[in-house]
Amino acid sequence: MSVKTTNEIDIVKVAQSKIASVDFDNLAFGATFTDHMFVCDFREGKWHKPQIKPYEPFLLDPSAKVFHYGQAIFEGMKAYKDEAGDVWLFRPDQNLDRLNKSAVRMAMPEIPEDIFMSGLHQLIDLEREWVKFGLGNTLYIRPFMIAIGSGVVAAPSTQFRFMIILSPAKAYYSGEVKVLIAEHYSRAANGGIGAAKAAGNYSAQFYPTKLANEKGFQQVIWTDDATHTKLEEAGTMNVFFRINDTLLTAPTSERILDGVTRKSLIALAKREGIKVEERSVLVSELIEGMKDGSLKEIFGAGTAAVVNPIVGFSYQDTYYELPKMADSFALQLKDKLTKIQYKLAEDTFGWTVKI
């Protein structure tokens, strides 16, 4: 795929890189950041000249709108290094499209393609030594925008800051994942901001997830806000269910995020001849599937985790252990997706973009 970029970015480099002090074999997800960051401000109704500068804290007025009214959106992406040492992005156009849809929903300005793509390419090119080769090694990319206009009147900001920060990463989750099906709390509601990658969506999940953690579960499978009978997302991931040899996942909506990994897995599954249905999946179908043996597997899908098999779930104080699958759809699809991302298999979809 082709992308629109510009070279008009001011670049200030660090005097000395900190990369030598980083233990790449023992990385906590999202805790270590590269030497530089990308910054571009929106003021006076227009985007100003972007910068790449040393990663550092910055000052904001205590009355900045992001603190008081939560005008903040973000994306999650990754860069991969192939055997030849080249660095690749995966479907960045989809992240830009979703980021701008989030911006519109949160009354924020859309980010021009040239600013977004140029920021990505030039920042990652500068930090390419932070992208380590090997399956599981990635550079996690966090583009985000916050409202920096001052004043506590309850109105949208007129000033914003768009940034990109980078974090070397390995696996997001480790160990077995057990989930609790939500019976009271909801991730999102019709007419709300569930389809936007808004910061508040995630903070609202923290408390019910904490309650699930205290019961021994790692994540929550969210249900619809009206009836709590329809399965929607798993933690911070889209979720898939395999009933017999059919893969089911909830359709995107005002409540459900249009995940890049989700749509990629659906395309891969269809290419491989796996039947896929995008429809509402009921809690009762899972319970019945456990009773008659038709429910084979459940897995989450997202940029950070890629594909995360779920070993069991709890509903109404009853725990259901899923069967162990030697050749699961989850592992098959994860293998095919990661091989495309790392350029170990042909990208027949045109999803990858070289830095």
Side-chain angles (χ1 to χ4, degrees), residues 21 25 39 44 75 152 157-158 178 222 249 254 285 301 323 332:
S21 66
D25 293 324
V39 183
E44 298 89 37
E75 276 295 317
V152 295
S157 179
T158 59
K178 299 178 181 179
W222 307 104
T249 191
E254 290 181 307
E285 289 184 77
Q332 289 180 50

Side-chain angles (χ1 to χ4, degrees), residues 3-21:
V3 295
K4 182 180 178 183
T5 61
T6 177
N7 291 320
E8 295 182 1
I9 299 177
D10 288 337
I11 299 178
V12 179
K13 296 182 180 179
V14 295
Q16 184 174 351
S17 175
K18 61 190 176 189
I19 193 169
S21 66

Side-chain angles (χ1 to χ4, degrees), residues 180-335:
L180 184 69
I181 294 179
E183 299 175 51
H184 172 71
Y185 294 102
S186 298
R187 177 188 172 274
N190 284 331
I193 59 172
K197 277 191 78 73
N201 283 341
Y202 295 80
S203 57
Q205 295 181 34
F206 292 162
Y207 177 66
T209 302
K210 175 177 176 287
L211 297 180
N213 294 162
E214 291 171 353
K215 294 180 178 180
F217 300 94
Q218 286 71 45
Q219 287 291 350
V220 175
I221 290 186
W222 307 104
T223 50
D224 69 290
D225 64 300
T227 68
H228 293 290
T229 61
K230 299 174 183 178
L231 298 153
E232 301 204 321
E233 292 195 9
T236 58
M237 303 176 287
N238 295 115
V239 63
F240 288 82
F241 309 90
R242 177 183 174 182
I243 294 182
N244 290 319
D245 287 329
T246 299
L247 205 54
L248 308 177
T249 191
T252 56
S253 67
E254 290 181 307
R255 303 189 307 274
I256 297 175
L257 196 68
D258 186 14
V260 178
T261 304
R262 171 191 177 276
K263 65 179 69 175
S264 302
L265 292 178
I266 290 171
L268 280 169
K270 290 179 176 178
R271 188 190 73 179
E272 298 301 312
I274 297 172
K275 185 180 178 182
V276 180
E277 293 181 9
E278 295 180 69
R279 65 166 176 82
S280 294
V281 183
L282 303 177
V283 179
S284 59
E285 289 184 77
L286 296 198
I287 306 304
E288 186 62 32
M290 290 302 302
K291 291 178 179 178
D292 65 18
S294 61
L295 179 62
K296 305 299 184 184
E297 56 184 307
I298 304 173
F299 58 90
T303 298
V306 188
V307 172
N308 199 205
I310 292 167
V311 300
F313 66 91
S314 179
Y315 180 67
Q316 293 183 342
D317 296 323
T318 300
Y319 178 70
Y320 300 88
E321 186 85 17
L322 287 157
K324 298 197 182 302
M325 303 288 293
D327 193 23
S328 67
F329 283 176
L331 296 182
Q332 289 180 50
L333 293 172
K334 181 177 182 178
D335 179 67

